[in-house]
Amino acid sequence: MEQEDDVSSRKPKKEKHVDTVKLMGRLMEALTVRHRLMDAAWEAEILSKLYRRMSIDIGFDEYHLFLRFVQFEFATHKDDAGKPPPVFITAIQEDDTTVDRFVPNNLYLGVHELDEGHVGRFSFRSRDGVLQIMKSKSLENLQVILMTQVVHKNCLIASVQLADVCLPARDDIMVGQKSMLTVEETKSEKSSTTAMTGTSMATQGNTLASKLTSVQMTKGRSPEAFVSIQLEKVPSRDLMLNDYLAQKQKMGMILKNPEEVEKLKRSLLRDFCRRFMNRMSQYSLRSQIIAYYNSLLGLLREFPNIRDTYFMLGEPNEFHKKRKMDDVAGLTPDPRNMKKRPRRVLSQDGTTVLNIWFIPHHSEALIMYKRMEDEQCCRALGFHLQIVSALHDIVQYLCAHSKLGSSHARLGSRKMEFVSADWGGTEGIGAELREIQKQIDNLEEKTSPEHIATCLSMRREVMFLEYDTSVRFSMRDTFLSTGNVNAYRTITKNIHFALPALSNVDVPSLFCTYFNVPEPFEARDFRAMELYPWRSFIARNGPYPLHFWQWQQIEYNMQMCLSGLKDVDRHVANGEILGVSLLMEDVLQSGYHDMSNITADDDSELEQDLSKSQSIKGTPKPSRPGTSLSKADSTKDLPQEGSGGKLVPKKQLSRTQQPIESYKLLKLFLMLWKRLEVFKAEWGQRKLSTEEINNSVLYRDFCKLYKTEILFPILQSVARRYGQGELYEGMVSDVEPLVAPQGASEIEIKMRQLVKLCESLEEHMIHEVQKKLSRELNLLLTERAREEGALPTDLWKKPAMKESFTIARPHIAEQFSTQLFTDIKETDTEYIFRKDHFNSCLLHLDGAVMARERSNFESYTMYYENLLRQHHQLLYQKEQELKQVRDQLKSAQNDTLVEVQCQLADQSHDLLMEITALRAKVAEMREISLTQERDMRERIKEEYDSLVQNLFASAFDLKAKFDEFREDLHNDVKSKISEVRSEAVMDMAKLKERGGGLTDEEMLQRNLSKAHQIREIQKENHSLNVLMLKMKAMNNWKQKHTKEMVSARLTEARRSCDRSKKQCIEIRLVAEEEVILRRQQLVALRKAFSEISMECSDAKKEIEKETKVKEEKSHAAMQKARSQRQLEIARQANMEKIISELEMKEKELHSLSDEHHKVSKLQQMSSDKVKKEAEHIRKHLTHERGLKLDAFSRVDELQTQIYDIESGMFSRAQTSFGYPASVATSYKSKPRSASPSKHRALSRGTMSSSGIWPPPIIWPPNRAMTPDVAGYYHHPNNVDLSKIQRPKTVAGRLRSRIADQLINELDVPDTHETIMQLEQLQFQNLR
């Protein structure tokens, strides 16, 4: 800060502020980066331990985690830089020469594997290190360090997750396979984030297979799932070093500057992080794909029929066994052969969708798309992940929805063996899956991964939105409208946590308590993601952002929404879900509508319609800004105009034919519905002045208000637009349902309601703001016009406060300023006042403040005491009322006890009658249940009897016709035989004639005549048979007709009998109802009689009470009048007595005042006299004190003379002992600093100038009795002369004795005589 101030001292003030803000920003950024770096290092340490343990479990060593540091300055160019690691990680177990077996002693930061000299050098341990980091370049270095550490941490997460999800599959998942899996083939079926696949089973040797078998038998993990971080980092590191060498040759002398070196290294480290993260993102995508497939397989275990019918399960190591038909060639139709679907989800290049119903084994998911470029591989894996995630969530939803109607679904721990068909069952799941395949087949590009992922994602969003809307709004409204408050409260409590987990609502992380996105941004805003990417990331991706989403909780959350409901309520919930789905079908039937110009005002709509009919091109300008709903997809399919200015209905949409357009429309409708419900709830709470509409009464009132104020005007407007305005004229009743006009879209109606509610909310907000402004302005104007001395407490009082309290306005500041300016000198530039005057003003200010505080304390104390007294009084009143209510309740209980006993007999009789009726009903129902099967058979027989009879008749007719045909056929055959016989006979005769043989003509003629006779008999027999067949058909027809008539009559007789029985039962029930009604009327009459008798007794009691009160009032009035007269007499006597006493006291007061005046005069005279005497004494004392001080000065002069004499005598003695004369002369005493006259003047000046008595005594400085010889001379033989002392005299005692005498004796008769005595004493001491 000081350096910045020195640099920016000559800058303008605005630039200084900008620099200060930038400096504080750098400081906050440094602290945030340090915090993130510490968290990343801590997490990386934990993940490193897991990685080491996992690598040992799989069969690899821990050195795969570490990368040996290579300095930039000593790096060499590598031609094979950027070469990716082997496709199969198990290849390094046979030949591990490419792996560096480097294991450091400690865990270092990720940047220390790449650079330690420039970017990786930092310290927070010293002040200089922190100041160095505060520089912009060092802060960029710290950011790069954080980037490398985060990338390293994400790499560890991906590796650990991939190994964790690739676990052996259960045997029950592999149903339908031909043989049990081997140990090598038992790979995982979970999801992961990164993967390095192992070598192909065809290329592995027997030694490696046996080695992996032993590892998997003990640990159970797939070696193909292992990720060597060292091998993944080496290609990116080599490319970075090659780039550095190329830049070094290119830049030359520029790199002599350390800042340029740091800048180059920062850019290279960023490129390294991007390359490495792009590589590791493949494993992250693979892990998620496998995790989704594992969850899907676990879900399908409970629905084996669905799994075996609609899905294809992959086998371990199936990737190497794929055929040509498992690729794009398998999609080519062949009418001659029945093909199976390809056993791949996407083609090998990731651009074509082959079969989304194929669930690959994790061994295949680890190596698919791996031979492609990194970008293409990430793109293919991304599409694959979108498809499988959407399909997984859809199947989860369908299975959970089918379980909602099953009784076992509510047991939790009990395994469900079947699902109920009430909510769709397995048939519903299959129908939905078939519909998905039809939708994919009807897409414009039915093999495009992007289009299919979009379609599935939109279907998933619409399904969850539909369920959310059904539970949150439809079910709750239905329960409230039917008065089922318990079900409403149950659902409201359940959806608080369940529905947010099923939606895409932002869930903050556990680590973002103090790192929120600054307002007004929100975490899901694109602008916030650009400005604050890390904060927005941790604020919207759940409590643990890097953790897998808990997709297995979909079923739990859906069941949690409906938990606690009864079976009847669950059927109601099913009906509401079905109703929402039917409403969505109606929306699809209506198609898109233009919502850009929708308003809630009918007049504006008419004007828009007129302007539309008159204009040829363009649309009118909307009256209000378009919302996101009105802009979304509203410009694609706008309604066309027909004759007469009426709207032509749009083409309907189909989920199967236009899936993407349909789901866009449905999502728009559901979002519109949710927004409308939010605004409706807010509008209802505002209208009903309540916090929540949570009971049937409030909901009924809300529905009435909403129907009359919002819904009915909108329906009238829409009806006029469609030319049906006459159907909605007049008032509508509260119970009559409102039906939408024919041809009107549900989206249009809801949009108009939303616009109307938005306008109402805007008006309410404007009105509230105006009220607040007017209220505050009125208070302000009132305060300006106030002239009283009270404070404006109304300006500070909150709306909830009802008590009024007045505080006196203090004038402390005004009084202080007035007093301060009373004694002041004013110049052109300043005010001058005296110090004592300012002190006195401050004293007065202190007193005024203390007085104000005391007054406030007393006022508040009195105020709150009054409040407490009032509340005590209210409490006492409530207690009395409660006591009275208890007494009334007790009397009411006694009265009701008798009434209950009286009604008990009637109730018992009614119960007996009801039980008898119920027993009869039960018997009837039992009889019906016993005869139900027979009745059903008879009913079915009646329904199909005529059909059976017709079938029998048709059969008989056919039989008759077949018989006739048979007879005709026989007759024709026989006629043909006779003809052939006659012709044969003729031919035989001719042959015989030609041969010349003898002929037996008679024999032939006789045979021929017999044949003719037989033929005639056959003809007659044929005619008789035909006649018999006709008679048989006629008899059958007559018999059938008779049976029909008899059965019809019998059925009619049975029906008439049943009707008679029902009429009898109805008459009996009506009679019983009349009996019950008469009994109820009798009970009501008894109750009314008891109430009337109670009212009569109460009226008598009231009359007696009123008469008693009147008597008491009259007696009290008489007593009061009598006491008033007595009080008047006593008051008059007391007044006279008080007047006489006052006159006597006034006389005494006059006498006492005279005496007081005399005494005060005497006191004044005595005080003056005392003052004069005190002044005389003070002067006398001052004079004596001056004399004493003069004596002390004289004594000091005498001591000085004595010292001089002693020093001369001592110098002569030293000369006699042989000391140098110069040394002896140096022992002369120094001159005194002040003469006696000066001391005397000082003492007098101090006495006269000071006003304090007695004046301070100034003593002369103490002087040593012997001179210091050691300070002036050192013995030649290093003898310390300071230790040789002369025997001391008694001058000290003499001085103290003189001082005591001078102090104690104030009256000295002769000063000169005293001085002479002192000199004599001193000479005696010297001798």
Side-chain angles (χ1 to χ4, degrees):
M1 290 288 290
E2 294 177 356
Q3 294 176 0
E4 293 290 338
D5 292 341
D6 295 338
V7 172
S8 61
S9 59
R10 292 183 297 273
K11 293 183 179 180
K13 188 175 182 180
K14 186 175 182 180
E15 294 183 3
K16 290 181 180 179
H17 289 321
V18 173
D19 294 339
T20 305
V21 171
K22 289 182 179 178
L23 180 62
M24 296 303 296
R26 288 201 300 271
L27 177 60
M28 296 302 296
E29 180 67 18
L31 293 176
T32 305
V33 171
R34 179 179 178 271
H35 168 73
R36 292 183 60 190
L37 183 60
M38 292 173 63
D39 284 349
W42 171 64
E43 294 172 359
E45 180 183 2
I46 298 174
L47 291 169
S48 299
K49 295 178 182 178
L50 296 176
Y51 182 87
R52 289 180 173 183
R53 189 185 309 161
M54 176 264 297
S55 61
I56 294 173
D57 292 344
I58 295 178
F60 295 87
D61 294 323
E62 62 180 5
Y63 52 76
H64 288 277
L65 175 62
F66 305 103
L67 180 66
R68 189 184 297 273
F69 168 64
V70 177
Q71 294 185 8
F72 282 89
E73 291 76 9
F74 300 101
T76 59
H77 187 273
K78 292 186 178 181
D79 296 332
D80 59 346
K83 182 180 178 180
V87 177
F88 305 102
I89 192 64
T90 52
I92 65 174
Q93 291 187 333
E94 292 182 347
D95 183 13
D96 56 354
T97 57
T98 58
V99 183
D100 187 4
R101 298 176 176 272
F102 169 70
V103 178
N105 296 327
N106 299 316
L107 288 176
Y108 297 102
L109 293 178
V111 72
H112 290 159
E113 294 180 347
L114 306 173
D115 179 69
E116 291 180 348
H118 293 86
V119 179
R121 183 181 299 172
F122 70 97
S123 175
F124 285 96
R125 294 181 179 273
S126 61
R127 181 175 179 273
D128 296 335
V130 175
L131 292 177
Q132 182 66 25
I133 290 174
M134 286 298 297
K135 296 181 181 179
S136 59
K137 303 300 180 183
S138 300
L139 187 58
E140 292 180 4
N141 292 344
L142 193 62
Q143 292 174 349
V144 172
I145 294 169
L146 174 63
M147 180 186 292
T148 55
Q149 188 64 30
V150 171
V151 169
H152 181 67
K153 181 194 71 173
N154 293 340
C155 172
L156 288 170
I157 291 174
S159 305
V160 172
Q161 285 180 345
L162 183 60
D164 180 67
V165 297
C166 290
L167 293 175
R170 297 181 182 178
D171 293 336
D172 56 352
I173 298 178
M174 310 307 294
V175 175
Q177 294 188 358
K178 295 181 180 180
S179 61
M180 294 297 292
L181 301 178
T182 61
V183 178
E184 291 84 11
E185 294 173 342
T186 309
K187 306 298 188 299
S188 68
E189 289 186 347
K190 283 192 175 182
S191 63
S192 84
T193 49
T194 58
M196 289 291 291
T197 59
T199 56
S200 173
M201 297 303 294
T203 59
Q204 288 180 352
N206 295 329
T207 305
L208 178 60
S210 62
K211 181 179 180 181
L212 296 180
T213 300
S214 62
V215 173
Q216 290 179 350
M217 287 293 290
T218 56
K219 303 300 180 182
R221 293 183 183 272
S222 302
E224 294 88 350
F226 179 72
V227 180
S228 176
I229 297 178
Q230 181 187 137
L231 294 179
E232 293 294 335
K233 282 186 177 181
V234 165
S236 302
R237 195 268 309 274
D238 293 343
L239 288 174
M240 179 184 68
L241 295 178
N242 287 349
D243 293 341
Y244 176 78
L245 295 176
Q247 292 292 333
K248 185 177 181 181
Q249 293 177 0
K250 182 178 179 181
M251 300 177 71
M253 297 300 294
I254 299 177
L255 292 182
K256 296 295 182 180
N257 188 0
E259 294 183 358
E260 293 296 330
V261 176
E262 287 187 5
K263 183 178 179 182
L264 177 59
K265 288 185 178 181
R266 282 197 301 269
S267 63
L268 293 176
L269 288 174
R270 291 193 185 100
D271 295 338
F272 166 80
C273 293
R274 294 189 186 96
R275 290 196 200 98
F276 182 57
M277 201 61 213
N278 189 23
R279 178 73 184 175
M280 296 306 298
S281 62
Q282 301 177 21
Y283 305 124
S284 176
L285 294 172
R286 294 180 194 278
S287 67
Q288 297 176 53
I289 291 171
I290 299 175
Y292 271 113
Y293 277 131
N294 285 339
S295 178
L296 186 59
L297 285 172
L299 176 66
L300 292 177
R301 288 195 202 103
E302 301 178 2
F303 298 88
N305 295 331
I306 298 296
R307 179 191 62 194
D308 300 337
T309 305
Y310 297 98
F311 290 92
M312 301 171 65
L313 302 184
E315 299 176 358
N317 301 313
E318 186 184 357
F319 184 80
H320 307 287
K321 305 175 185 178
K322 298 292 185 182
R323 301 173 300 171
K324 183 179 179 181
M325 301 306 294
D326 291 331
D327 208 340
V328 181
L331 296 179
T332 305
D334 189 359
R336 298 179 181 179
N337 297 325
M338 185 67 181
K339 290 184 178 181
K340 293 184 178 180
R341 291 184 178 272
R343 296 181 66 84
R344 272 198 181 99
V345 180
L346 297 181
S347 60
Q348 292 185 2
D349 56 357
T351 58
T352 305
V353 177
L354 302 178
N355 183 13
I356 66 172
W357 311 107
F358 177 68
I359 302 178
H361 193 262
H362 75 270
S363 59
E364 180 179 350
L366 289 172
I367 59 177
M368 57 186 180
Y369 322 122
K370 206 162 188 180
R371 300 184 183 275
M372 301 167 58
E373 296 293 334
D374 290 344
E375 295 182 359
Q376 297 177 359
C377 181
C378 289
R379 179 179 176 83
L381 289 172
F383 284 136
H384 197 149
L385 177 59
Q386 293 179 21
I387 292 172
V388 68
S389 64
L391 181 63
H392 168 272
D393 293 346
I394 291 172
V395 176
Q396 276 271 7
Y397 176 85
L398 294 176
C399 295
H401 187 271
S402 66
K403 291 181 182 179
L404 289 177
S406 176
S407 60
H408 297 295
R410 298 191 295 274
L411 297 179
S413 61
R414 182 175 177 181
K415 184 177 179 181
M416 186 182 62
E417 300 176 355
F418 65 93
V419 294
S420 174
D422 295 340
W423 293 62
T426 56
E427 296 82 1
I429 300 174
E432 292 288 339
L433 297 180
R434 288 192 297 271
E435 184 181 359
I436 291 173
Q437 184 59 47
K438 291 179 182 179
Q439 291 174 352
I440 293 174
D441 295 337
N442 291 321
L443 289 174
E444 294 180 0
E445 298 180 10
K446 58 183 178 181
T447 60
S448 173
E450 185 176 0
H451 285 70
I452 293 176
T454 303
C455 178
L456 293 177
S457 300
M458 294 189 68
R459 181 184 179 93
R460 173 183 58 187
E461 293 176 2
V462 170
M463 291 175 70
F464 285 110
L465 276 175
E466 178 184 357
Y467 186 77
D468 186 285
T469 307
S470 304
V471 176
R472 192 185 298 273
F473 304 118
S474 297
M475 293 183 190
R476 297 169 71 203
D477 293 347
T478 301
F479 288 140
L480 275 183
S481 61
T482 56
N484 194 351
V485 182
N486 293 329
Y488 169 81
R489 292 176 180 173
T490 301
I491 286 188
T492 304
K493 182 172 64 175
N494 292 338
I495 66 176
H496 181 71
F497 295 102
L499 286 184
L502 293 174
S503 63
N504 59 351
V505 65
D506 295 339
V507 179
S509 170
L510 297 178
F511 310 104
C512 68
T513 306
Y514 300 103
F515 295 100
N516 296 324
V517 177
E519 295 180 354
F521 295 111
E522 294 185 2
R524 61 177 178 269
D525 296 338
F526 292 104
R527 189 66 174 169
M529 295 179 189
E530 294 177 358
L531 296 176
Y532 311 99
W534 176 66
R535 292 194 177 192
S536 62
F537 174 76
I538 64 176
R540 70 176 188 275
N541 289 314
Y544 302 99
L546 300 179
H547 191 266
F548 282 155
W549 181 60
Q550 300 299 315
W551 44 70
Q552 67 274 9
Q553 297 292 329
I554 293 176
E555 178 183 350
Y556 169 76
N557 291 320
M558 291 180 65
Q559 292 181 0
M560 183 179 176
C561 294
L562 304 182
S563 62
L565 294 180
K566 301 178 182 177
D567 292 337
V568 178
D569 299 336
R570 295 174 71 85
H571 288 296
V572 174
N574 187 14
E576 291 301 322
I577 295 176
L578 181 61
V580 173
S581 63
L582 294 176
L583 183 59
M584 293 169 63
E585 294 297 331
D586 294 340
V587 171
L588 289 177
Q589 293 292 329
S590 62
Y592 280 104
H593 283 267
D594 184 14
M595 295 180 294
S596 59
N597 299 325
I598 287 181
T599 59
D601 193 3
D602 188 23
D603 298 334
S604 61
E605 289 175 359
L606 293 176
E607 294 177 1
Q608 290 176 6
D609 292 340
L610 291 175
S611 61
K612 268 190 173 183
S613 61
Q614 294 174 1
S615 62
I616 299 176
K617 295 182 179 180
T619 56
K621 185 178 180 181
S623 59
R624 56 186 294 113
T627 61
S628 59
L629 288 174
S630 63
K631 294 177 181 178
D633 299 327
S634 61
T635 59
K636 295 181 180 179
D637 298 313
L638 298 179
Q640 304 295 328
E641 294 294 332
S643 60
K646 296 184 179 179
L647 294 174
V648 177
K650 294 300 298 177
K651 181 181 178 180
Q652 63 183 8
L653 296 176
S654 173
R655 293 195 190 191
T656 307
Q657 301 298 327
Q658 302 97 3
I660 296 180
E661 292 80 2
S662 301
Y663 288 132
K664 283 182 180 180
L665 180 62
L666 292 177
K667 183 179 179 182
L668 173 67
F669 169 70
L670 293 173
M671 294 296 294
L672 174 63
W673 191 353
K674 292 187 70 174
R675 294 171 185 175
L676 175 62
E677 292 295 333
V678 172
F679 277 90
K680 279 175 64 176
E682 191 276 335
W683 182 85
Q685 294 168 7
R686 189 172 68 248
K687 287 291 184 180
L688 298 177
S689 301
T690 182
E691 294 182 358
E692 185 181 2
I693 302 175
N694 53 5
N695 56 59
S696 57
V697 178
L698 289 175
Y699 183 75
R700 197 176 300 113
D701 297 339
F702 163 69
C703 291
K704 291 179 182 179
L705 282 174
Y706 188 79
K707 183 187 293 184
T708 55
E709 296 186 13
I710 303 295
L711 186 58
F712 186 68
I714 289 175
L715 290 179
Q716 281 183 332
S717 173
V718 175
R720 293 192 192 99
R721 187 179 182 187
Y722 285 89
Q724 305 172 19
E726 65 277 0
L727 299 178
Y728 294 90
E729 297 294 338
M731 300 297 293
V732 64
S733 62
D734 296 335
V735 296
E736 181 182 355
L738 295 178
V739 183
Q742 185 178 1
S745 172
E746 190 71 23
I747 295 180
E748 181 182 2
I749 295 174
K750 289 190 179 296
M751 176 57 74
R752 291 178 182 274
Q753 296 179 49
L754 182 59
V755 172
K756 183 87 172 181
L757 293 174
C758 287
E759 292 177 354
S760 175
L761 180 60
E762 290 174 0
E763 293 175 358
H764 172 71
M765 293 170 65
I766 293 171
H767 183 62
E768 290 295 325
V769 172
Q770 290 177 349
K771 285 172 59 178
K772 185 176 180 180
L773 289 175
S774 62
R775 182 171 60 252
E776 292 182 355
L777 286 174
N778 291 333
L779 290 174
L780 183 60
L781 295 175
T782 304
E783 174 59 23
R784 285 184 177 180
R786 188 192 298 269
E787 295 181 355
E788 58 186 6
L791 286 176
T793 55
D794 296 337
L795 294 175
W796 312 323
K797 190 166 64 175
K798 296 182 178 180
M801 295 175 61
K802 297 181 179 179
E803 294 82 4
S804 59
F805 180 60
T806 304
I807 304 175
R809 182 192 298 273
H811 299 281
I812 298 174
E814 293 85 350
Q815 293 176 357
F816 176 74
S817 61
T818 303
Q819 186 178 4
L820 186 62
F821 277 89
T822 54
D823 188 4
I824 196 170
K825 295 180 180 180
E826 182 179 359
T827 63
D828 295 337
T829 58
E830 59 185 8
Y831 291 100
I832 301 173
F833 46 82
R834 293 184 294 106
K835 183 176 180 181
D836 55 350
H837 176 66
F838 182 68
N839 290 331
S840 63
C841 293
L842 290 178
L843 289 174
H844 284 89
L845 178 62
D846 185 17
V849 171
M850 294 301 295
R852 183 197 64 180
E853 295 298 326
R854 178 182 178 183
S855 175
N856 290 342
F857 174 75
E858 292 176 353
S859 301
Y860 279 109
T861 304
M862 185 186 302
Y863 173 66
Y864 284 110
E865 285 178 356
N866 292 332
L867 282 179
L868 290 174
R869 191 180 299 109
Q870 181 181 2
H871 283 291
H872 279 298
Q873 185 177 359
L874 292 174
L875 183 61
Y876 177 75
Q877 184 179 357
K878 293 293 182 181
E879 289 177 352
Q880 294 297 323
E881 292 177 357
L882 183 61
K883 184 178 179 181
Q884 184 179 1
V885 169
R886 286 178 179 173
D887 295 339
Q888 293 178 358
L889 181 61
K890 187 175 180 180
S891 61
Q893 287 177 353
N894 295 329
D895 296 338
T896 53
L897 181 62
V898 178
E899 184 178 0
V900 168
Q901 291 176 354
C902 295
Q903 292 179 358
L904 185 60
D906 297 336
Q907 292 291 336
S908 301
H909 184 267
D910 293 339
L911 290 174
L912 291 174
M913 294 300 295
E914 187 175 357
I915 291 171
T916 304
L918 289 174
R919 285 179 178 176
K921 189 68 175 177
V922 168
E924 182 182 357
M925 295 296 293
R926 187 176 298 154
E927 184 179 358
I928 291 173
S929 64
L930 293 175
T931 60
Q932 185 176 9
E933 185 177 359
R934 185 187 64 190
D935 295 340
M936 291 178 65
R937 289 180 179 177
E938 290 179 355
R939 191 180 302 112
I940 294 171
K941 184 179 179 181
E942 290 175 0
E943 292 176 356
Y944 291 96
D945 194 15
S946 59
L947 180 60
V948 172
Q949 294 296 332
N950 292 330
L951 288 174
F952 275 118
S954 301
F956 287 138
D957 292 341
L958 289 173
K959 185 179 180 183
K961 289 181 181 180
F962 276 118
D963 291 339
E964 291 178 0
F965 176 73
R966 184 187 60 191
E967 291 297 330
D968 293 338
L969 182 62
H970 278 280
N971 189 19
D972 292 339
V973 170
K974 289 177 180 179
S975 60
K976 292 291 184 183
I977 292 172
S978 62
E979 292 176 357
V980 170
R981 181 179 295 164
S982 60
E983 290 177 357
V985 170
M986 294 296 292
D987 292 337
M988 289 173 65
K990 289 179 180 179
L991 288 173
K992 287 180 179 180
E993 289 177 356
R994 291 177 184 177
L998 296 176
T999 59
D1000 194 358
E1001 187 174 354
E1002 293 180 358
M1003 190 70 178
L1004 290 174
Q1005 291 294 332
R1006 187 171 57 250
N1007 290 336
L1008 185 63
S1009 63
K1010 287 183 179 179
H1012 284 295
Q1013 290 176 2
I1014 291 171
R1015 176 60 187 153
E1016 292 296 333
I1017 293 170
Q1018 287 178 350
K1019 287 182 179 179
E1020 186 179 359
N1021 188 17
H1022 171 68
S1023 61
L1024 291 175
N1025 286 333
V1026 170
L1027 182 62
M1028 185 184 67
L1029 291 173
K1030 290 181 179 180
M1031 291 178 66
K1032 188 184 291 185
M1034 181 61 69
N1035 290 331
N1036 289 331
W1037 179 80
K1038 287 182 179 180
Q1039 186 178 3
K1040 171 180 170 295
H1041 184 66
T1042 304
K1043 285 183 179 179
E1044 287 181 356
M1045 292 179 63
V1046 170
S1047 62
R1049 290 177 181 177
L1050 183 61
T1051 303
E1052 187 65 27
R1054 288 178 180 175
R1055 290 177 180 175
S1056 62
C1057 181
D1058 293 337
R1059 284 196 298 269
S1060 300
K1061 287 182 180 179
K1062 288 181 180 179
Q1063 289 177 0
C1064 180
I1065 293 171
E1066 289 177 356
I1067 291 170
R1068 188 184 302 166
L1069 292 175
V1070 170
E1072 290 178 357
E1073 289 179 357
E1074 290 181 354
V1075 171
I1076 293 171
L1077 182 62
R1078 296 293 184 271
R1079 189 175 290 114
Q1080 289 177 353
Q1081 291 177 356
L1082 181 60
V1083 171
L1085 290 174
R1086 287 179 180 176
K1087 186 176 180 180
F1089 178 74
S1090 61
E1091 290 177 355
I1092 291 171
S1093 61
M1094 290 176 63
E1095 290 178 359
C1096 182
S1097 61
D1098 292 337
K1100 288 181 181 180
K1101 291 180 181 178
E1102 290 292 335
I1103 291 171
E1104 292 177 358
K1105 189 184 294 184
E1106 288 180 359
T1107 53
K1108 187 175 181 180
V1109 168
K1110 287 182 179 179
E1111 291 177 358
E1112 290 178 354
K1113 286 183 179 179
S1114 61
H1115 180 70
M1118 293 174 61
Q1119 292 291 336
K1120 187 176 181 180
R1122 186 182 303 167
S1123 61
Q1124 286 289 339
R1125 288 195 297 272
Q1126 292 177 359
L1127 286 173
E1128 288 293 336
I1129 295 170
R1131 187 182 296 111
Q1132 187 174 2
N1134 289 331
M1135 288 294 292
E1136 292 176 356
K1137 185 176 179 180
I1138 289 170
I1139 290 169
S1140 60
E1141 289 178 356
L1142 287 175
E1143 290 177 354
M1144 294 174 62
K1145 288 181 179 180
E1146 187 176 0
K1147 292 179 181 178
E1148 292 177 357
L1149 181 60
H1150 283 296
S1151 61
L1152 290 174
S1153 60
D1154 294 338
E1155 291 178 359
H1156 177 69
H1157 185 63
K1158 293 178 182 179
V1159 170
S1160 61
K1161 286 184 177 180
L1162 292 175
Q1163 288 179 353
Q1164 183 68 27
M1165 293 172 64
S1166 61
S1167 63
D1168 293 339
K1169 187 177 180 181
V1170 168
K1171 286 180 181 180
K1172 290 179 180 179
E1173 291 177 355
E1175 185 67 25
H1176 180 70
I1177 293 170
R1178 185 182 292 110
K1179 290 179 179 179
H1180 183 67
L1181 292 174
T1182 302
H1183 179 68
E1184 290 178 352
R1185 185 172 180 276
L1187 293 177
K1188 290 178 181 180
L1189 291 175
D1190 292 338
F1192 283 128
S1193 301
R1194 184 60 180 165
V1195 169
D1196 197 8
E1197 291 175 358
L1198 293 175
Q1199 284 183 352
T1200 303
Q1201 293 175 6
I1202 292 170
Y1203 291 154
D1204 294 338
I1205 294 169
E1206 288 178 354
S1207 62
M1209 291 172 64
F1210 187 69
S1211 62
R1212 287 194 297 270
Q1214 287 177 348
T1215 305
S1216 64
F1217 284 115
Y1219 292 137
S1222 60
V1223 176
T1225 57
S1226 63
Y1227 284 105
K1228 293 182 181 180
S1229 178
K1230 295 181 180 180
R1232 295 185 61 84
S1233 60
S1235 61
S1237 61
K1238 289 184 178 180
H1239 283 288
R1240 195 180 301 114
L1242 180 61
S1243 64
R1244 291 193 185 100
T1246 305
M1247 177 193 65
S1248 61
S1249 62
S1250 177
I1252 301 174
W1253 181 262
I1257 300 173
I1258 301 176
W1259 297 96
N1262 293 329
R1263 183 180 292 275
M1265 293 299 179
T1266 59
D1268 189 4
V1269 181
Y1272 296 94
Y1273 176 75
H1274 297 280
H1275 196 271
N1277 297 324
N1278 296 327
V1279 180
D1280 191 1
L1281 296 178
S1282 61
K1283 296 181 181 179
I1284 301 174
Q1285 296 182 359
R1286 178 182 57 84
K1288 294 183 179 180
T1289 62
V1290 294
R1293 286 179 291 174
L1294 175 64
R1295 177 170 179 166
S1296 61
R1297 188 168 45 191
I1298 294 170
D1300 292 338
Q1301 187 177 3
L1302 290 174
I1303 291 171
N1304 293 327
E1305 297 177 1
L1306 294 177
D1307 293 335
V1308 181
D1310 192 357
T1311 306
H1312 180 71
E1313 184 180 358
T1314 302
I1315 293 171
M1316 294 302 294
Q1317 290 177 0
L1318 288 173
E1319 290 179 354
Q1320 290 176 3
L1321 288 173
Q1322 287 180 356
F1323 279 111
Q1324 289 176 3
N1325 290 331
L1326 290 173
R1327 290 175 183 176

